[in-house]
Amino acid sequence: GNWCTINRIAQHLIENGHDVKIIDPNKFESVHQFQSYCSQQCFNIAIALHAVRAGRFLIDGNLPFIIIIGGTDLNEKVKNEENFKIMFKVFQQSIFIIAFHSALKTLCEKNFPFTCNKIKIISPAPTICQKREISSTNELKPFFESLFSTFSIFLLPSGIRPVKDPFFIIEQFEQWAQSNQSNQSLKNPVLLLIIGPILDQSYANTLFQKIDSYQFVKYFNAIPQNELQFLIEKSFAVVNCSQSEGLCNALLEAMALQIPVIARNNEGNANLIKHLENGLLFNTPLEFIDAINQLLNSKMLIDTITSNGLQTLQLNYSIESEKIAYQNLIEFFESNQ
């Protein structure tokens, strides 16, 4: 999700005539080494995604920067005193702060009141790959093809770490899937497929121990964006069960591909999804199962929420609006140099 976001923004700026270099600052041995590299490259400005992960490398440097805040920053990192201090300095020294929606802006202003005059809301837009397919070089291609021809897939694209909280739904899903094996009304058996990188190995080990005994919950590591979008397009629904969320890129992609979305009711998800209008929200594992049953039993509901989901994107999350917004910020910066 983060890679998709920063790559998309870079592409906007390239199309507007700017020279852009994408850098992962965490690959440098120190903040000093990163800042020295930036000085050598003579960059004019940096756009950094996440205040703690990336913004900390820009503190007290010579490079002006815009910071894009994520849900992890304001829902999780801010609770830690050291991270709070980092975020304070990052926000203090930034030119602008970008929030994906009004709820994130409000949360930022609540924790850091001095930011109110520099926060801008720029809604992200999903990038849909033209060529969506599993590569012939991917050894899992036959396995994925078999899965999707056998099961109705509920796809959970998610990095494996505590805030993404797959434990919240997997046990209830497994129990429900087990009890519905003989349900004649189901066209196919169901499967919850989790796909994403391991971001917390200890947490992942605990998760894998759990699902190893499950028949209807499976995990696979991260795959390229075009391959993931192929799987999204073949899924019955896309799921998000995060404890907190900024704005989930996979949900945007699913809505763009007119696939139903089922998401846990947190501030970020509720900002995007209106229950029973353009998706389904749930508060408990049982409500998650209820949402699945609603979709399985109503083609009309599927048609309604997928049509409204696409309209939501066209109205509020357009690629052209995002492109213009970032160009305007760069032009403002350049005109004030």
Side-chain angles (χ1 to χ4, degrees):
N2 293 334
W3 168 253
C4 293
T5 298
I6 208 68
N7 192 58
R8 185 181 67 249
I9 293 168
Q11 190 59 40
H12 293 334
L13 297 174
I14 290 168
E15 290 173 4
N16 282 324
H18 301 283
D19 292 326
V20 180
K21 192 175 183 76
I22 299 176
I23 302 168
D24 180 359
N26 292 286
K27 292 183 177 179
F28 290 81
E29 292 181 1
S30 66
V31 170
H32 175 73
Q33 186 187 61
F34 171 76
Q35 292 187 354
S36 296
Y37 171 81
C38 291
S39 296
Q40 293 166 8
Q41 295 294 313
C42 298
F43 296 134
N44 295 322
I45 188 171
I47 299 177
L49 180 59
H50 293 302
V52 177
R53 291 181 193 167
R56 63 190 177 91
F57 287 89
L58 297 163
I59 294 172
D60 297 332
N62 296 319
L63 183 62
F65 64 91
I66 296 168
I67 196 77
I68 303 172
I69 49 176
T72 301
D73 285 325
L74 292 171
N75 293 315
E76 304 300 324
K77 299 288 188 184
V78 74
K79 299 172 186 175
N80 176 279
E81 184 178 355
E82 186 59 33
N83 287 335
F84 183 93
K85 291 177 182 178
I86 291 171
M87 292 169 72
F88 187 96
K89 285 187 177 181
V90 168
F91 294 155
Q92 196 175 48
Q93 296 178 21
S94 64
I95 304 168
F96 294 115
I97 302 165
I98 307 302
F100 290 149
H101 51 73
S102 59
L104 271 181
K105 179 178 185 291
T106 300
L107 191 56
C108 187
E109 291 171 346
K110 179 181 177 181
N111 286 285
F112 306 93
F114 66 90
T115 62
C116 62
N117 292 324
K118 59 169 68 177
I119 300 183
K120 310 293 180 183
I121 297 175
I122 301 180
S123 299
T127 302
I128 301 302
C129 303
Q130 292 295 316
K131 193 175 182 181
R132 301 183 294 277
E133 62 181 13
I134 302 294
S135 169
S136 58
T137 61
N138 188 330
E139 60 185 17
L140 290 172
K141 182 176 181 178
F143 188 74
F144 281 133
E145 289 175 345
S146 175
L147 275 186
F148 279 80
S149 63
T150 304
F151 294 94
S152 292
I153 302 290
F154 291 83
L155 185 65
L156 173 55
S158 172
I160 307 303
R161 57 189 174 115
V163 71
K164 297 303 180 182
D165 203 14
F167 282 104
F168 189 67
I169 60 171
I170 59 172
E171 184 172 358
Q172 195 73 51
F173 184 92
E174 176 69 16
Q175 291 175 0
W176 171 77
Q178 289 275 6
S179 66
N180 276 273
Q181 287 188 81
S182 59
N183 188 341
Q184 298 299 315
S185 66
L186 293 182
K187 182 180 178 182
N188 296 310
V190 294
L191 183 79
L192 180 65
L193 182 61
I194 306 170
I195 293 186
I198 296 171
L199 303 175
D200 184 320
Q201 189 63 59
S202 176
Y203 183 82
N205 291 342
T206 307
L207 176 67
F208 299 157
Q209 286 176 2
K210 187 79 170 176
I211 65 176
D212 277 348
S213 62
Y214 286 173
Q215 184 179 354
F216 298 103
V217 180
K218 302 297 178 189
Y219 166 79
F220 291 97
N221 211 326
I223 57 177
Q225 186 186 19
N226 68 312
E227 296 190 0
L228 180 61
Q229 288 183 1
F230 174 81
L231 298 188
I232 287 174
E233 205 165 21
K234 298 296 183 183
S235 296
F236 188 84
V238 169
V239 177
N240 177 286
C241 57
S242 300
Q243 294 171 357
S244 62
E245 192 66 69
L247 191 55
C248 176
N249 195 65
L251 293 179
L252 292 173
E253 291 178 356
M255 293 168 84
L257 294 167
Q258 293 188 271
I259 301 301
V261 293
I262 308 174
R264 190 170 176 178
N265 190 7
N266 57 50
E267 204 159 31
N269 288 340
N271 192 80
L272 172 66
I273 297 168
K274 306 307 174 192
H275 185 57
L276 295 176
E277 292 183 19
N278 61 1
L280 298 173
L281 294 170
F282 63 91
N283 295 288
T284 68
L286 282 175
E287 287 186 8
F288 171 58
I289 300 303
D290 287 342
I292 291 174
N293 281 319
Q294 284 180 282
L295 289 179
L296 288 170
N297 293 321
S298 178
K299 178 67 163 57
M300 182 180 295
L301 177 60
I302 291 173
D303 291 344
T304 297
I305 64 175
T306 54
S307 175
N308 289 342
L310 184 60
Q311 188 175 31
T312 297
L313 296 189
Q314 292 169 342
L315 291 174
N316 303 313
Y317 299 89
S318 100
I319 197 87
E320 192 58 34
S321 295
E322 184 185 44
K323 180 178 178 180
I324 291 169
Y326 279 100
Q327 177 62 17
N328 287 343
L329 292 185
I330 298 300
E331 287 179 357
F332 179 88
F333 165 75
E334 291 175 338
S335 67
N336 284 276
Q337 290 301 291

